[in-house]
Amino acid sequence: MVITGIIIVVATFIAIIKQFETRLVLFLSGLLMCFIGGNIAAGTTAFVKELTNAGLVPTICTVLGFSYVMEYTKCTEHMVYFISAGLKRMTKIIIPGAVIITFLINIALPTAAGCAAAVGALLIPALIRSGVHPAMAGSAVFLGTWGSSLSPGLMFNPQVAQLAGTDVMTVIASFTMQAVVGLVVAAILLNIVAIVKKEHTGYVLESHSEDSKEFKVNYLYAIIPIIPLVLLVLGSKQVAVIPEISVPVSMLIGTAIGIVAVRPNVTDAVKKFFRGTGDGMCDVVGLMAAAACFTAGMQHIGLTSALIDGMKNSQQIAQIGAAFGPFLLAVISGSGNAAALAFNGAVTPHAADFGYGIMELGSMAQLGAGIGRSMSPVAGAGIIIAGLAGINPMELAKRNAVPCVAATVVIMLLLL
């Protein structure tokens, strides 16, 4: 049965790579493995349990609802303009600066594609006008799109928090420093690549037109998208300046402040919020439920126990598997969600058997997936950025390869 399970898992990821509907593929594969393992009901039970998971569903849905309201009220646009304006004063470190700015914005806007569209539309033309080659300008923005790893709304952080029996902010705090070091390493290496390829300066547009009107930033609107993050940090166990606040409550507070401050059509704003929660349920929670069914299938066919036994024999295998398993799948498929969810569901609960903590092993899996996606030529965010820069997505992948691999290795060595 283990060999059969391996064949099904490989076929599953091939189907995902070939762009078949991920939720359907994971769900059907899970049911098939459960059937072979003699308990088909286990797959549907795991699926339904995840759909009603009180620790995950409210967090993910309210984050998406808040994000939709921020876009509707234009607060996101004000924040991006405000932060990107700083690039004009950083000509010597403009490429690393673009990477870091995108990373920070991606924490507040945790969808890679949404961040790529919002940030890329502003930063890429600004970088090009500053003399940066279009391919390098796009690569800088693309490289920053794993900042969502530090977002409390990213599906993996609540998942790992639940497995570890702790809160989301404690999980994020456990790898923040390592992620920042990895970010700095990646940004510096991309700058070196730019210098070696002579793409950091000197590029001249054949023709371009400057915007006649200048966007006027409202600083109040610009800071509203980060209010929930500030509340979560101040209320976290590590800071404890204010009473602890849950992620859903912080998102509701941020949404209310945005509506009161901007004063849009309240009915439309509320509709946007609930549209976001619905999309969160559909796109994120639905994926997690399908992955839970897939994980149950791996368990009942005996693949999980075989994988764990193999990892017990070598701590290094578990270390490399957690980092580069999701990383490689993300590079190939453009999304590491399926691999990271499956890994965290099947392997991470047994982290102590390999000599690691649940938070460390689970966080490494999602970090590897996020970084790997930031060099994938088929990632949605990369395709959007390539379109904005007028280049082939493969050009982004070639430039980001060394920074992404190096960042993953550095984080792996620091975290595990």
Side-chain angles (χ1 to χ4, degrees):
M1 285 202 301
V2 171
I3 294 175
T4 303
I6 292 173
I7 293 172
I8 293 173
V9 168
V10 171
T12 299
F13 287 126
I14 289 174
I16 292 171
I17 290 167
K18 289 184 175 293
Q19 305 298 312
F20 285 92
E21 166 55 46
T22 303
R23 289 162 294 191
L24 178 63
V25 172
L26 289 173
F27 183 69
L28 292 180
S29 298
L31 288 183
L32 178 59
M33 288 189 285
C34 285
F35 175 75
I36 295 172
N39 188 0
I40 191 170
T44 54
T45 300
F47 180 82
V48 173
K49 183 179 179 181
E50 200 71 5
L51 286 178
T52 57
N53 191 320
L56 297 176
V57 176
T59 293
I60 291 167
C61 290
T62 52
V63 168
L64 266 293
F66 170 74
S67 178
Y68 276 40
V69 173
M70 291 300 98
E71 288 187 24
Y72 171 68
T73 58
K74 304 294 184 183
C75 289
T76 295
E77 189 174 2
H78 285 272
M79 179 186 69
V80 172
Y81 265 100
F82 173 61
I83 295 177
S84 62
L87 272 182
K88 296 177 181 178
R89 306 182 185 90
M90 300 190 301
T91 54
K92 297 294 183 182
I93 54 169
I94 193 168
I95 292 172
V99 176
I100 293 170
I101 284 172
T102 306
F103 185 93
L104 294 175
I105 292 175
N106 196 205
I107 298 175
L109 304 176
T111 61
C115 178
V119 178
L122 296 175
L123 285 192
I124 290 174
L127 288 167
I128 294 174
R129 286 196 293 268
S130 299
V132 178
H133 190 280
M136 186 54 62
S139 297
V141 174
F142 193 28
L143 187 57
T145 57
W146 60 279
S148 57
S149 300
L150 298 182
S151 171
L154 185 72
M155 69 179 82
F156 305 112
N157 288 324
Q159 181 192 33
V160 173
Q162 190 170 60
L163 291 172
T166 186
D167 62 279
V168 175
M169 296 309 294
T170 297
V171 171
I172 294 173
S174 71
F175 65 83
T176 296
M177 188 56 65
Q178 293 89 337
V180 170
V181 173
L183 169 66
V184 172
V185 168
I188 291 173
L189 285 175
L190 184 65
N191 198 43
I192 292 173
V193 171
I195 293 172
V196 170
K197 295 177 72 67
K198 297 181 180 179
E199 294 180 347
H200 63 301
T201 187
Y203 182 81
V204 180
L205 278 171
E206 293 181 5
S207 63
H208 71 276
S209 59
E210 298 285 349
D211 293 330
S212 56
K213 63 175 183 177
E214 196 168 320
F215 186 85
K216 187 176 181 180
V217 174
N218 183 308
Y219 297 106
L220 173 60
Y221 296 178
I223 66 172
I224 290 175
I226 67 170
I227 287 177
L229 296 176
V230 172
L231 292 175
L232 288 169
V233 171
L234 294 178
S236 66
K237 294 177 181 177
Q238 294 74 27
V239 180
V241 172
I242 62 175
E244 187 175 356
I245 296 177
S246 69
V247 175
V249 170
S250 71
M251 295 300 157
L252 289 171
I253 291 173
T255 301
I257 292 174
I259 292 174
V260 171
V262 180
R263 298 187 301 280
N265 184 300
V266 176
T267 299
D268 288 344
V270 172
K271 286 181 179 179
K272 290 289 183 181
F273 178 83
F274 284 104
R275 172 57 58 192
T277 61
D279 285 352
M281 189 73 185
C282 172
D283 298 334
V284 182
V285 178
L287 177 60
M288 296 182 72
C293 178
F294 180 75
T295 299
M298 290 178 62
Q299 292 171 344
H300 283 83
I301 207 170
L303 188 57
T304 299
S305 58
L307 183 62
I308 291 169
D309 288 340
M311 286 187 171
K312 283 181 181 177
N313 297 327
S314 174
Q315 191 178 33
Q316 284 69 38
I317 292 176
Q319 181 186 37
I320 295 172
F324 283 98
F327 177 93
L328 290 174
L329 186 69
V331 172
I332 296 170
S333 68
S335 172
N337 289 346
L341 286 171
F343 187 93
N344 281 344
V347 179
T348 300
H350 307 277
D353 295 335
F354 322 129
Y356 297 118
I358 286 177
M359 287 193 296
E360 289 74 21
L361 200 67
S363 298
M364 185 66 252
Q366 67 104 340
L367 285 166
I371 298 172
R373 188 203 60 240
S374 297
M375 63 164 284
S376 172
V378 294
I383 293 171
I384 291 170
I385 289 169
L388 292 171
I391 57 169
N392 189 304
M394 187 59 71
E395 297 300 317
L396 304 177
K398 291 190 295 186
R399 288 162 176 78
N400 284 359
V402 171
C404 285
V405 171
T408 304
V409 171
V410 167
I411 294 173
M412 179 185 72
L413 295 176
L414 292 174
L415 188 60
L416 299 177

